[in-house]
Amino acid sequence: MRMFQVRHTITYELTLAAGTEQEAILKAKGIPLAQWTAEPDEVTAELVDETDEIDEY
C-alpha cells in the first residue's frame, strides 16, 4: 500500500507600511486573517511509504 502525506497550503498577502522587517512581522500578527488577501491554494502530495501490503495466510 502506498501512503501519501497531503499538504494544503494557502498563502495570504498583506501590504503594510513598516520601518523594518521585524516591525512588519509584529504588526501583521495583530491583523485578522479576514483583512488579508488570499492567494491561490497549493496542494501537494508526498510519497511516504511505497511498500506493498502482503497478506499472510
Side-chain angles (χ1 to χ4, degrees):
M1 172 184 287
R2 293 181 175 186
M3 292 177 62
F4 292 86
Q5 180 178 37
V6 178
R7 214 175 262 123
H8 184 187
T9 305
I10 303 172
T11 304
Y12 290 93
E13 236 178 63
L14 177 69
T15 303
L16 52 83
T20 64
E21 184 179 347
Q22 187 176 11
E23 184 185 352
I25 291 168
L26 290 172
K27 282 185 176 182
K29 283 186 176 183
I31 298 173
L33 274 182
Q35 294 181 24
W36 294 61
T37 304
E39 291 296 310
D41 297 356
E42 179 183 333
V43 178
T44 58
E46 180 182 332
L47 186 60
V48 176
D49 184 11
E50 199 173 349
T51 58
D52 290 327
E53 275 187 9
I54 299 172
D55 295 331
E56 292 182 21
Y57 295 98

